Amino acid sequence: MGCSAYCFHCLFDHGTPVILVVSSKKVGFIFRLLQLCIIVYVAVYVCWYKRAYQERDSVISSVSTKVKGNILTNSSALGTHVWDTSEYVIPPQGENSFFVLTNAIVTQGQTQGSCPEIPSEFTNCQSDSDCKEGLKEIRGNGVQTGKCVQYSETIKTCEVLSWCPLENDTVIPKPALLSAAEDFTVLIKNNIQYPKFKFRKRNILRHINSTYLKNCTFNHKTDPHCPVFRLGDIVTESGEDFSIMALKGGIIGIFIDWSCDLDFNERFCVPKYSFRRLDNKNPENNVAPGYNFRYAKYYMNNENTETRTLIKAFGIRFDVIVFGMAGKFNIVPTIVNVGAALALLNLMKVICDWFMLNCLSDSEYYSKHKFKHLKPKDESETFSFTDQSSYGTP
Amino acid sequence: MGCSAYCFHCLFDHGTPVILVVSSKKVGFIFRLLQLCIIVYVAVYVCWYKRAYQERDSVISSVSTKVKGNILTNSSALGTHVWDTSEYVIPPQGENSFFVLTNAIVTQGQTQGSCPEIPSEFTNCQSDSDCKEGLKEIRGNGVQTGKCVQYSETIKTCEVLSWCPLENDTVIPKPALLSAAEDFTVLIKNNIQYPKFKFRKRNILRHINSTYLKNCTFNHKTDPHCPVFRLGDIVTESGEDFSIMALKGGIIGIFIDWSCDLDFNERFCVPKYSFRRLDNKNPENNVAPGYNFRYAKYYMNNENTETRTLIKAFGIRFDVIVFGMAGKFNIVPTIVNVGAALALLNLMKVICDWFMLNCLSDSEYYSKHKFKHLKPKDESETFSFTDQSSYGTP
Amino acid sequence: MGCSAYCFHCLFDHGTPVILVVSSKKVGFIFRLLQLCIIVYVAVYVCWYKRAYQERDSVISSVSTKVKGNILTNSSALGTHVWDTSEYVIPPQGENSFFVLTNAIVTQGQTQGSCPEIPSEFTNCQSDSDCKEGLKEIRGNGVQTGKCVQYSETIKTCEVLSWCPLENDTVIPKPALLSAAEDFTVLIKNNIQYPKFKFRKRNILRHINSTYLKNCTFNHKTDPHCPVFRLGDIVTESGEDFSIMALKGGIIGIFIDWSCDLDFNERFCVPKYSFRRLDNKNPENNVAPGYNFRYAKYYMNNENTETRTLIKAFGIRFDVIVFGMAGKFNIVPTIVNVGAALALLNLMKVICDWFMLNCLSDSEYYSKHKFKHLKPKDESETFSFTDQSSYGTP
């Protein structure tokens, strides 16, 4: 055979395995059943439920928030005071979270100086020898001077250098100073994109008009696409009581789920909101429960000394957590899954063969026809098949 | 056959299917064509374009920014005023975003008290009966006292308890107070890592020296790796007009794409910058367009009353959004894709077989030789093959 | 054959390839070896090491931090001053990062006005002609008035409109003002979830009680699950010297790795902490080394003029970076990988066949029995097999 003829054969000869067709209802039934299972699994679970034929991408997001509402409070420390957004939202603008002050311990007129510590097991003293100059007790409020001074008529505590008078945070205002904050509303604007699919969307959907936006409040059933949320609703939906949570603060997650099937029209790709408390309210394995931090407003008093109002702010931090995966048909994962299914179908054949060759009464008979044992050439040239007898002459 | 001999056979006998080689140009051509398609698909699309042989990891990033520039403004509210970074970047340091003030409504000397509301359809009144004591109108600026008072000579509005005098934000300064902010520059330092590959890099590339960094400005063509950006260029590249955007503010995304093929040298892994406006400037399905927030500077006045300067800050928030996926050769996805391709090649064989057995004129002839129908043993022991006739005697 | 009988055959006939069993130790050995490799690869690498049978999900996280500690400093600018959390943590609360001030240049009593620039190559002048009215030198501190004025007895610089007196940041306090900040502690609370698996956990593990939390400090060996970290330890573990880093500041990443195998009990899913410096301390390809920003405290002085204290704050920004992937058994990736392994096993068969048909001395003999060359029907009806001679008559 010439070289070109050989190549021609290589290219255009088609090799197909010789198939032994066995008419056994048992084997046939098992094979079809297994085949059906695979096909149902691929169709229902892989394609329909898991959408494994899709390529995936994670969401990239940008969030801006705006809180609205005013509150009138009447406390001994502050007198009558109206709180507006610039006072109770700290910092005035955040990235993915915003903090709403709900309770506060206000200490006015602090200046640098020395004063007796707040009584506690670490600060109480009998005499100067109980205090150590320069000690920065981690649970204390300043640096000890080494003196033991009168805190009240009965109690003596170590004197500290600090912003004086010291804040006494042992008693938290109850009910919370701004417990009415549950009526505040927050507008959340969220802009997402799936860079792999060049897909962009906003949580303010295209069919929503400005008039609706100005008057709506989010509600899972009636207004699921309104981006204005009442704080009280958020807290209630996350299973908490606003008035209790307002006392010591906490962290609430506002989850925006952008999971989308981009094989469908993009208008089906809408955000789903859910709410959950993120911090631990269980007091047993907890430390510093709730959520609070201290900040100060600095002044110069009339003697030109730096004075400050220290505020221990308790409140709810709302973390806007945007997540989601988008899927879109792509040939690579499709072929990977089709390939896997085909390999499985092949495996089913092997299983059926095994069943046929081992578990049926005719096994040996089938085996005889399926396998052609070829002896090594040198052993027996003429009797190449051990089963040559099955090729009966007529 | 002894047990050990049997095991020996099990282990070292090699089973290979008996192949019927068909010399049909049609079938051969179709098979080779299909095979070629698969191979081209795998080589070009899967390997080259999608790099499906790679394991992937998402980027972890840390960003710091520093804005530079000074502006001299001359407004009726503030007089001549020089703005420096600590005044117009709020908060002074952010994580992944920074805000540059471009316009402001400044209300000086606010103290707690009562004053007439800003006129609007919700606050105008004729008499005290139109106002309700304690009402916290969500679009209002305070808590109503229940009185209807003179706002101007012609207009009466409800009186509110609030920080007085109230801010009147109906007129926005035009042109924007800090419209010259487009000349500011921002240095963006970005540090990324792909934890799976233990790969770390900075956006300040190794070959760049300090002298260049101190004088360069980012430009897609001439300086694509300079980390110093002119704000005006960012806004222009995102398709906006700085002077218009400065009026009401907005959000601009600075996208840093770290998509990398780590099979190549790491010096090819460089950040790609792009810019896009993230907020909606379309007024139709929008609410609170632009980007603004209020913050206040608190003072004690001479009578020791808390006074504040309220600033409604309009400006551009720049969100530095770092994204990207790195890929590196890994045996698992490689084998998954090779396996899928092999399964597909097998499928092609099945398709060719089907074509050969159904669509050719010689189908029956091929079929006769491909399939050996084995009857159940009990039915016909001697005539086991239905196609035994094809095994002709010489 | 009737139609129903045909369908019956289609459904329940089982086709199994006719296998030629070759008793060649060489081929058998090679085949078993290849098979073993594949199986070992799948078992060890794919299943055990890569856990490719698992579906994966990325972590979603929420972080809150609380720094504690007080410091007494004695500087010429501030006198004796006690710093507490609300002063040195800026902003008072962050999302995923917190900044601790370690060094500061304080410029007190700034008011809007004009004053000579800080001497530098860009601001020094001989006469008014060297200065340009309105020039906003990007490396300068204000807007030039066009005058050249005396800065000191020997140096003349351009006059600028700015907050005066200007800050002189050429000399950084050394040692750092708050170098003792290494004794501060930070409590990090981290709440994570894997939404795909509905799995949630906190970094304060369930078995830890409040008493332990109040007294522990994180240590890789003794207290790996304590969420309270000493700042000095963090910096040391990231390979830096706190006293040096405190001078000019920097960024340190606190990495929390939540990689988990959720097929095991959830109590094995615990956070792993690590620390690393993120900014570049190499001065060669760097600009603005360290980490600093400016902020100001605003006052009204006795003449009712706005005055401010400008603080150039150097410090360490700690970025809490939470990452991780959870895996859980899922049938889809399992089947994809099993399919790929099966396809590979098939490939091994093909390789062995090729070896058998090309590299052995008996190749031609094997080939003769493996392939049955079927000629096109019209060419030779009676001599359908080219190898018909091998079917010897007895």
Side-chain angles (χ1 to χ4, degrees), chain C residues 66-80:
Chain C
K66 192 160 207 172
V67 183
K68 270 198 177 172
N70 296 296
I71 273 187
L72 178 70
T73 64
N74 207 331
S75 69
S76 56
L78 290 168
T80 307

Side-chain angles (χ1 to χ4, degrees), chain B residues 286-337:
Chain B
N286 207 344
V287 64
Y291 187 77
N292 65 68
F293 61 91
R294 285 182 184 83
Y295 71 97
K297 295 175 188 172
Y298 293 85
Y299 308 101
M300 281 294 173
N301 68 5
N302 293 337
E303 292 92 50
N304 224 21
T305 317
E306 196 174 25
T307 313
R308 73 176 193 186
T309 301
L310 180 69
I311 295 145
K312 180 169 184 178
F314 298 86
I316 304 176
R317 195 179 87 184
F318 293 89
D319 286 5
V320 183
I321 297 174
V322 181
F323 69 106
M325 292 284 268
K328 200 171 192 173
F329 172 80
N330 186 277
I331 194 73
V332 175
T334 309
I335 279 180
V336 163
N337 278 283

Side-chain angles (χ1 to χ4, degrees), chain B residues 270-289:
Chain B
V270 292
K272 282 170 282 301
Y273 302 93
S274 60
F275 314 100
R276 193 163 55 76
R277 183 163 184 170
L278 295 177
D279 65 317
N280 187 5
K281 55 176 181 168
N282 173 10
E284 288 202 6
N285 65 335
N286 207 344
V287 64

Side-chain angles (χ1 to χ4, degrees), chain A residues 8 32 38 52 58 74 91 117 264 276 292 301 325 327 378 386:
Chain A
F8 181 83
R32 294 297 159 190
I38 300 292
S58 301
N74 207 331
E117 260 282 15
F264 291 97
R276 192 163 56 77
N292 64 70
N301 68 5
M325 292 285 268
D378 36 29
T386 56

Side-chain angles (χ1 to χ4, degrees), chain A residues 16 63 66 84 93 191 208, chain B residues 278 285 291-292 308 317:
Chain A
T16 174
V63 170
K66 192 160 206 171
D84 64 0
Q93 60 130 4
N191 183 301
I208 291 177
Chain B
L278 295 177
N285 65 335
Y291 187 77
N292 65 68
R308 73 176 193 186
R317 195 179 87 184

